[in-house]
Amino acid sequence: GFDLQGLEDMTDGDLLLRLVRIEAMLDALWSAPFVTLSVGTGRVTGAGADIFAVCDRRVVVEGAQFAFPGAAFGIVLGTRRLAERVGADRARDILRAGRVVPHTEAEAIGLATHHLPADAVEAEIVAAGQAAARLDADTVAAIHRLTRRDEPDRDLAALVRSAARPGLKDRIVAYRVKTLAR
């Protein structure tokens, strides 16, 4: 997720820059000219859940849970890509309610491509690497362009608009206090 260490020393501008860098990373993964793989284990939260969602192959280990808490402090990060994975209505439901998605649901709704027991992950990584090597980068890039809506400027604009509202740091601090109180 979004590392909140050192939050006290950060300004709204520092936080905005970190969020923009995360968005740039999500866009790079989304449009990469190679096959990407993510493995979700344990609690996958915030930017970690966004990274999971943008990858081509999304393996979830039994017991994993996904949460997208950014909306709780006014941030829209990775929202369109999540909607592409699970559908717009379901994405809105997850984000507005702050709902935690268990591994069984993640696979059922398309957030995860499949689930595995923890002891099978290593073999899956090897198999995924072999499968990915079958196609050259130009072909993979073309497949990605033709099968995904690629709107990096729109995604970045939505993130910046949400983060640029006055009081970004205060919203994040309030979220952290509320979360720690639970």
Side-chain angles (χ1 to χ4, degrees):
F2 191 70
D3 183 6
L4 298 177
Q5 289 184 332
L7 180 62
E8 299 76 24
D9 299 325
M10 298 181 121
T11 66
D12 282 1
D14 297 330
L15 292 165
L16 174 60
L17 179 59
R18 285 181 65 197
L19 290 166
V20 166
R21 287 180 174 161
I22 292 169
E23 173 56 38
M25 177 184 56
L26 293 174
D27 180 57
L29 285 168
W30 182 257
S31 59
F34 48 82
V35 177
T36 55
L37 168 76
S38 56
V39 178
T41 63
R43 293 175 49 149
V44 185
T45 303
D50 292 321
I51 291 168
F52 182 86
V54 301
C55 289
D56 298 305
R57 294 178 67 138
R58 300 171 308 282
V59 178
V60 63
V61 173
E62 294 172 6
Q65 298 179 331
F66 297 86
F68 300 85
F73 47 90
I75 297 299
V76 292
L77 176 67
T79 304
R80 182 188 55 79
R81 296 180 195 101
L82 176 64
E84 286 213 18
R85 294 292 187 223
V86 304
D89 290 339
R90 190 168 282 122
R92 280 190 294 271
D93 172 58
I94 291 167
L95 295 170
R96 289 189 303 224
R99 205 162 54 73
V100 174
V101 179
H103 83 273
T104 51
E105 182 183 358
E107 184 179 19
I109 65 175
L111 176 57
T113 53
H114 56 291
H115 79 276
L116 294 171
D119 61 358
V121 170
E122 193 67 36
E124 175 67 18
I125 292 170
V126 171
Q130 291 169 344
R134 186 174 94 62
L135 302 176
D136 64 77
D138 290 337
T139 302
V140 173
I143 290 169
H144 285 176
R145 274 193 312 275
L146 294 169
T147 60
R148 295 179 176 166
R149 285 190 341 201
D150 192 17
E151 302 181 44
D153 292 341
R154 182 175 169 203
D155 294 331
L156 182 59
L159 167 67
V160 170
R161 195 170 19 262
S162 70
R165 287 187 4 238
L168 174 61
K169 180 178 175 178
D170 293 338
R171 293 193 309 268
I172 294 172
V173 168
Y175 168 79
R176 183 170 69 174
V177 167
K178 183 178 172 183
T179 302
L180 291 174
R182 280 191 251 142

